[in-house]
Amino acid sequence: MQLRDKVALITGAGSGLGLATASAFAREGARVVINDLHEAAAREAARGLGDAHAALGGDVSKESDVAAMVEAAVARFGRIDILVNNAGVADSFVPTVEQPLSHWQRLIDVHLTGTYLVSKTVAPLMMRQGGGAILNLNSIAGVLGLPVRTAYSAAKAGIGMLTRVLGCEWGPHGIRVNAVAPGYILTPLTEGLIAAGRIDPTRIRRRTPMGLLGAPEDIAEAMVFLASDRARFITGVTLPVDGGYCAFGAPSDAFAIDDLDPRTAA
């Protein structure tokens, strides 16, 4: 029960990594406010966690929605101890010269501006409370150069620097700001990309020193640690949770695929 009696607001938590994080936080004793652009998805997710938790709709890229969301969370629970900026939208995998400006703008608005907006709205409350923890969703795309992931990569790299800046600025107020950079995780979105032939899981496993794609729970457990008092002296960092993907740099496979090994079966 590392988060007993804490109140956590998690954006974009109706499914995927956000929902896995919400489930882990609830298990550790937190009362969770699940936000999602689709309020029905947020309500269903919160219902699955139990009556102690709440759901709120809202677009994190819209200042009025964010203000209303934070106000409603405080009205319900009286405080926000943990914020997880998880909300995001899918990338297009389209060459940069073919990407419309609207695609670039939407990804920047949701990922980067959304993280900024929700953080700056919650921070004054945390300052009055005497501290808190803010966790952001970076990505290996914000650390490494991934072709055709232009807007997504730029937004995630911005989140990495925003994490550093806010960690330094708000440290004196007792607010820790950190990020997790997931590698290739087997979410429903990733499974859909695999099924569509957009990404090759075998190539990913060969490039990953641990030879595996991650599970949503791997990200959730890292979030639990960074949100807990066990990480009380950690701020301004991005923690890769990627099986060693970002660390590897040799001009060879990181992991030898053995089709007979059940750990590496596609």
Side-chain angles (χ1 to χ4, degrees):
M1 303 293 283
Q2 298 181 64
L3 306 178
R4 184 189 298 274
D5 298 328
K6 301 290 187 181
V7 176
L9 170 61
I10 307 178
T11 67
S15 62
L17 299 182
L19 180 54
T21 300
S23 298
F25 279 21
R27 180 201 70 209
E28 294 296 330
R31 290 170 291 169
V32 181
V33 181
I34 291 182
N35 155 263
D36 201 273
L37 179 62
H38 305 288
E39 188 170 353
R43 288 179 177 175
E44 182 177 352
R47 191 178 304 117
L49 296 183
D51 294 339
H53 311 286
L56 294 170
D59 186 338
V60 298
S61 70
K62 295 181 178 178
E63 194 167 13
S64 58
D65 281 19
V66 171
M69 175 177 66
V70 172
E71 183 178 351
V74 174
R76 171 69 185 271
F77 293 113
R79 59 191 295 117
I80 297 174
D81 302 292
I82 303 163
L83 166 64
V84 180
N85 286 303
N86 171 80
V89 291
D91 205 353
S92 66
F93 292 80
V94 172
T96 301
V97 296
E98 299 174 16
Q99 295 173 14
L101 180 59
S102 59
H103 171 73
W104 164 276
Q105 196 63 62
R106 182 58 177 161
L107 264 69
I108 296 295
D109 285 349
V110 174
H111 289 275
L112 182 54
T113 304
T115 297
Y116 164 79
L117 268 179
V118 184
S119 296
K120 75 185 291 285
T121 304
V122 169
L125 173 65
M126 289 184 171
M127 290 175 186
R128 291 193 295 272
Q129 294 170 179
I134 297 175
L135 306 178
N136 299 326
L137 256 292
N138 198 335
S139 167
I140 59 171
V143 180
L144 303 172
L146 302 185
V148 310
R149 308 294 304 278
T150 324
Y152 184 83
S153 295
K156 291 300 187 181
I159 287 172
M161 184 52 68
L162 184 65
T163 298
R164 289 187 178 191
V165 171
L166 298 183
C168 294
E169 181 178 344
W170 295 343
H173 300 282
I175 301 172
R176 298 184 297 105
V177 186
N178 293 296
V180 169
Y184 286 94
I185 308 297
L186 276 174
T187 63
L189 175 61
T190 303
E191 291 171 347
L193 293 171
I194 291 171
R198 304 283 288 277
I199 60 176
D200 182 345
T202 301
R203 293 183 67 180
I204 292 170
R205 289 186 168 105
R206 285 177 175 153
R207 173 64 177 73
T208 304
M210 294 186 72
L212 300 166
L213 276 73
E217 293 74 21
D218 296 323
I219 306 304
E221 293 303 327
M223 290 287 192
V224 168
F225 166 69
L226 289 173
S228 75
D229 289 340
R230 292 185 177 185
R232 64 185 183 183
F233 201 50
I234 301 173
T235 195
V237 305
T238 292
L239 173 65
V241 183
D242 61 358
Y245 194 97
C246 286
F248 185 73
S252 60
D253 286 349
F255 188 86
I257 296 291
D258 181 353
D259 293 336
L260 299 179
D261 185 341
R263 296 181 308 154
T264 59

